[in-house]
Amino acid sequence: MTRGFTRWAAPTGLFIGLLAAWEAFIVVTNQPGYVVPHLTTIAGIMIARADILVPATWVTLQEVVAGFVLGVAAGLALAVAIAHSKVVGRAVYPIVITSQAIPVIAIAPVLVIWFGFGMLPKVLVAALICFFPVVINTTAGLLSVEREMIDLMHSLLASRWATFWKVSLPTAMPYVFVGLKNAAVISAIGAIVGEWVGAERGLGPLMIAANASFQTALVFAAITYLAAIAVVLFLLVTLAERIVIPWYFLTRRRDMHSVH
C-alpha cells in the first residue's frame, strides 16, 4: 500500500504543481483569455462544447486506432523478416533508419494528393509514425536472444519456427511492448498531422478553425481530448503487456527484491 502511494505521489504532485504554475502565470502576467485561458475555462468548454468535440474525437480516434494497428502489423512483420534474414536486414534496415530523416508532415500532403481527403491518408500517416518504434524495438528484441539458447534448440532438433515461437518471441516480447507503448503515445500525432494537412472532420480541422477565430480555450479542449486518446491507448497496451507477459514482471520484481 505504501509502495503504491509512493509510486503515484510524485507524478500526481508534479501534475498538480504544473496546473498551479499555469494559473499562477496567468495571474502574475495578467494574460488575456484568448492567449492563455484559465483551466476552469478550458474545463467548461470541454463540457459545454461536447456536442462538437465528441464527434470530432470519434473521427480522430478511428484514424488513430486504424493507423496504430496497421503500423504495428507492418512493423512486426518487417522486424521478423530482418531478424531472420541477413539479406533482408542489410537491404531494408538502413532504409528504415534513413526514412526517419523525412518529416512526416512533409509526406502527409503527398498522401492527401494520392488518396484524397478521406480517412485513408490520416491512417497512413499514423501508421508511418507507429511503424518505426515497433520495427526497431522488435528487431532489437529478436536479435537479443542468447546464442546458447538457439544452440540448445538446434540440439533438440527443433525447427526454425519452433525456435522462434518458444525462444525468440518470448525473449523479444518485453522489447515489443516497449515499441507498442511508444507507438501508442505518438499515434495521435500522425492522425492530427494528417488532419491538419487536409480534412473536413476530426479534431485537427476543429483546432484550426478555433485557432483562426481566437477560441484558444476550445483549442486546448481539443488538445485535451486528443491527449486522452493517446493516454487510453497507452493504458490498454500496458494492460495487454501485463496479461501477455506476466512472467516478465514477476522476474523483474524478484530481481528488485534480490538487489535490496
Side-chain angles (χ1 to χ4, degrees):
M1 184 70 178
T2 303
R3 181 177 301 170
F5 175 78
T6 304
R7 179 182 179 184
W8 290 103
T12 302
L14 177 60
F15 181 71
I16 294 174
L18 291 173
L19 297 182
W22 179 292
E23 289 294 328
F25 174 77
I26 296 175
V27 173
V28 172
T29 61
N30 195 26
Q31 293 290 333
Y34 65 86
V35 176
V36 184
H38 286 281
L39 296 173
T40 52
T41 304
I42 297 174
I45 290 294
M46 290 176 62
I47 298 172
R49 304 303 303 273
D51 58 325
I52 62 172
L53 284 165
V54 172
T57 301
W58 172 242
V59 172
T60 302
L61 174 63
Q62 294 178 72
E63 297 164 354
V64 169
V65 173
F68 176 77
V69 172
L70 180 60
V72 167
L76 292 176
L78 185 59
V80 172
I82 291 173
H84 284 78
S85 172
K86 292 182 178 180
V87 175
V88 174
R90 290 170 181 169
V92 175
Y93 200 72
I95 298 176
V96 172
I97 300 298
T98 304
S99 67
Q100 294 307 295
I102 304 174
V104 175
I105 196 170
I107 301 175
V110 178
L111 295 178
V112 171
I113 293 173
W114 288 349
F115 302 107
F117 290 89
M119 184 177 292
L120 182 57
K122 292 77 175 175
V123 171
L124 292 177
V125 174
L128 287 172
I129 284 187
C130 294
F131 171 79
F132 184 74
V134 173
V135 70
I136 292 300
N137 283 281
T138 303
T139 300
L142 292 173
L143 295 178
S144 69
V145 181
E146 296 181 359
R147 186 64 202 177
E148 292 78 4
M149 294 294 296
I150 302 296
D151 293 338
L152 176 61
M153 293 298 289
H154 288 167
S155 69
L156 296 174
L157 302 180
S159 66
R160 189 171 185 179
W161 281 109
T163 302
F164 171 77
W165 286 111
K166 295 182 181 297
V167 175
S168 300
L169 186 59
T171 301
M173 286 309 293
Y175 294 82
V176 172
F177 275 103
V178 170
L180 293 181
K181 287 188 283 189
N182 286 336
V185 172
I186 64 178
S187 57
I189 299 175
I192 209 69
V193 166
E195 289 181 349
W196 280 343
V197 171
E200 298 177 351
R201 299 186 302 158
L203 289 173
L206 177 61
M207 293 167 65
I208 293 174
N211 186 67
S213 57
F214 293 97
Q215 299 181 61
T216 312
L218 181 57
V219 174
F220 279 106
I223 291 173
T224 304
Y225 273 78
L226 182 65
I229 293 175
V231 170
V232 170
L233 188 55
F234 175 85
L235 292 176
L236 289 175
V237 173
T238 302
L239 177 61
E241 181 183 27
R242 292 277 182 174
I243 296 173
V244 174
I245 53 172
W247 49 266
Y248 171 72
F249 296 96
L250 293 174
T251 303
R252 191 171 64 175
R253 190 178 299 115
R254 187 176 63 245
D255 292 342
M256 291 177 63
H257 286 317
S258 64
V259 171
H260 293 295

